Amino acid sequence: MIAQTNKALQGALDAIDLAVADCRHENAALIGAKCRGMLRGYDRLYRNAGYETLHVERLVTADLINPETQRTSRTFSIAGKIDIIAQMGNRRTIIDHKTTSEDISDPNAPYWRQLVIEGQVSHYALLAWLNGEKVDDLVWDVMRKPGISPKKLSKADRAAVVSSRKYFDVEMSTETLEALQVDERETLEMYEARLAHDCTTERPQWYFQRRPVPRMDNELLEYAGELWDHGQEILNTRNSGRNVRNSGACMMYGSACKFLGICSGYDQPDSDKWQRKQQVHSELELAGDGKDVLTNSRIRCFQTCKKKHYLTYELGIERIDEEEREALLFGTIWHFGLNEWWRFFHA
Ligand code: SF4
């Protein structure tokens, strides 16, 4: 078991390194060090949790059905990519990975309250059910992003590392030892070792939490009804062409919506800054353009701003020079590592 786990961790670390090498973002190496440090903590905490992996990143599709009338939509189908389907004993579980900057160690923190009504796991559980693979349990697998960054070291601390060749019990490379002769700041290798120590030994519960998500059959049926209603609303909006803007959403998530230039009249969807996507759900590998497929992200986008939904999922445009935002990149690289880790526990 231990040898397998070591392989799991090494595979995950290698996947992170590959993702970083493939990325041109200026902070890619730092993000990679964060993900590597965190994965060491994740591995230590969960390696013996007892799950066997059945599927990693499984794309699931189904018809959109009205649960009251059993009618199948003539327009829309539903889809989603389920992070992990695992089993423990004879219980099948959907495990959904999340990253956040919010507090997750307090069970009553607002983060958890919001997740009680979050539709994402209901969407996945419904998809599995419609495919004849009803699951017994749903689990949020949440990781809080590190609050610590590479720090300055005193002369004495640097001398101690050079002398012992170790930092937080990890053997340092010659490159790090040489860098300490001229640089006062931790190298990324040192930062990774300190972060791994923090999330492994000092504060694992600050960084990692897993919580079951209760969803009864009647709740899934209620969600199926809501999904049908959303489909109807999208159809009505499509037919009327009234894609109402929501100015309250323009600065959500701490930065300007990427369509602000268009909505404020400074840009046009057909300018040379934009291109049409071949398939509007960039996170899924679907046949066709995907415009008649409902996902949880799409429903959330529609609820947030109808104009944004139109530009993203109906017109289907994206910026040609779109830079990957750092928070998104962190989530992407973390997922690469996690997926590789889970693959080593295949049943
Ligand atoms: S698409 Fe919606 S959220 Fe985005 S800028 Fe326009 S009105 Fe604001």
Side-chain angles (χ1 to χ4, degrees):
M1 186 65 170
I2 293 296
Q4 185 194 30
T5 302
N6 287 340
K7 272 191 192 172
L9 177 59
Q10 193 55 55
L13 297 177
D14 290 347
I16 290 171
D17 290 345
L18 266 178
V20 169
D22 209 27
C23 174
R24 283 175 303 166
H25 193 285
E26 57 181 348
N27 286 334
L30 174 59
I31 292 169
K34 286 183 181 181
C35 291
R36 286 175 58 95
M38 300 283 300
L39 251 162
R40 293 179 190 281
Y42 185 91
D43 174 66
R44 177 72 71 86
L45 195 58
Y46 295 129
R47 66 172 68 154
N48 295 317
Y51 283 115
E52 284 183 305
T53 308
L54 299 175
H55 302 285
V56 176
E57 291 224 307
R58 187 174 192 208
L59 174 65
V60 191
T61 59
D63 289 334
L64 176 64
I65 296 173
N66 183 337
E68 278 182 22
T69 63
Q70 302 300 312
R71 204 186 118 209
T72 300
S73 171
R74 287 196 301 261
T75 308
F76 292 116
S77 60
I78 57 177
K81 193 182 266 183
I82 301 175
D83 283 338
I84 304 295
I85 302 177
Q87 69 179 25
M88 193 188 290
N90 54 7
R91 295 187 71 81
R92 287 169 65 94
T93 305
I94 285 178
I95 296 171
D96 192 55
H97 305 314
K98 289 205 156 305
T99 56
T100 181
S101 300
E102 296 180 45
D103 174 27
I104 55 172
S105 52
D106 177 357
N108 295 315
Y111 182 80
W112 295 113
R113 293 187 185 174
Q114 190 275 327
L115 284 190
V116 171
I117 53 167
E118 163 68 51
Q120 193 171 10
V121 286
S122 302
H123 193 85
Y124 295 154
L126 179 66
L127 274 166
W129 194 1
L130 288 170
N131 277 276
E133 297 180 357
K134 198 158 182 278
V135 294
D136 304 291
D137 301 301
L138 305 159
V139 170
W140 292 122
D141 185 26
V142 186
M143 183 277 280
R144 184 173 178 180
K145 290 182 213 166
I148 58 173
S149 303
K151 67 175 185 180
K152 270 190 179 176
L153 298 167
S154 68
K155 201 171 174 184
D157 284 344
R158 283 185 283 141
V161 176
V162 171
S163 148
S164 69
R165 306 182 69 90
K166 284 191 172 180
Y167 192 58
F168 286 92
D169 257 353
V170 178
E171 189 90 28
M172 291 291 113
S173 65
T174 307
E175 288 78 20
T176 280
L177 300 176
E178 284 174 2
L180 284 177
Q181 310 288 345
V182 290
D183 201 343
E184 294 180 341
R185 200 164 282 279
E186 286 173 328
T187 63
L188 291 181
E189 183 184 33
M190 296 174 77
Y191 168 66
E192 179 186 327
R194 182 164 60 91
L195 175 59
H197 177 80
D198 195 25
C199 66
T200 300
T201 308
E202 298 289 332
R203 304 182 295 165
Q205 305 304 325
W206 188 95
Y207 288 95
F208 306 111
Q209 293 285 334
R210 278 185 183 169
R211 293 276 167 82
V213 194
R215 286 287 187 276
M216 310 297 286
D217 287 357
N218 63 327
E219 291 175 288
L220 293 184
L221 287 172
E222 188 182 6
Y223 176 77
E226 290 173 1
L227 206 49
W228 177 268
D229 292 342
H230 290 313
Q232 292 303 113
E233 284 178 52
I234 291 174
L235 211 47
N236 291 341
T237 306
R238 182 184 281 179
N239 291 336
S240 71
R242 293 176 60 78
N243 300 291
V244 183
R245 291 175 296 178
N246 174 14
S247 60
C250 303
M251 299 301 289
M252 268 172 98
Y253 312 118
S255 60
C257 167
K258 62 184 174 185
F259 300 121
L260 191 54
I262 292 176
C263 290
S264 56
Y266 285 91
D267 197 1
Q268 298 290 329
D270 55 4
S271 79
D272 58 6
K273 293 197 184 78
W274 301 91
Q275 65 185 7
R276 300 278 177 113
K277 291 186 275 188
Q278 288 195 334
Q279 202 271 103
V280 298
H281 303 276
S282 28
E283 77 280 19
L284 305 178
E285 301 83 33
L286 292 169
D289 62 17
K291 290 182 182 177
D292 291 334
V293 176
L294 302 184
T295 62
N296 184 63
S297 304
R298 179 174 186 171
I299 299 297
R300 185 181 283 198
C301 178
F302 184 73
Q303 290 172 314
T304 304
C305 175
K306 293 183 174 50
K307 182 78 174 185
K308 186 172 184 174
H309 170 266
Y310 167 74
L311 294 167
T312 306
Y313 294 103
E314 299 279 72
L315 198 58
I317 58 169
E318 63 183 353
R319 271 191 81 100
I320 289 170
D321 61 348
E322 190 161 21
E323 275 189 25
E324 221 165 358
R325 283 185 22 225
E326 195 163 326
L328 279 180
L329 185 62
F330 183 95
T332 304
I333 294 178
W334 174 246
H335 267 74
F336 271 127
L338 268 194
N339 289 341
E340 212 50 44
W341 188 86
W342 275 91
R343 284 195 181 99
F344 271 88
F345 295 93
H346 259 300

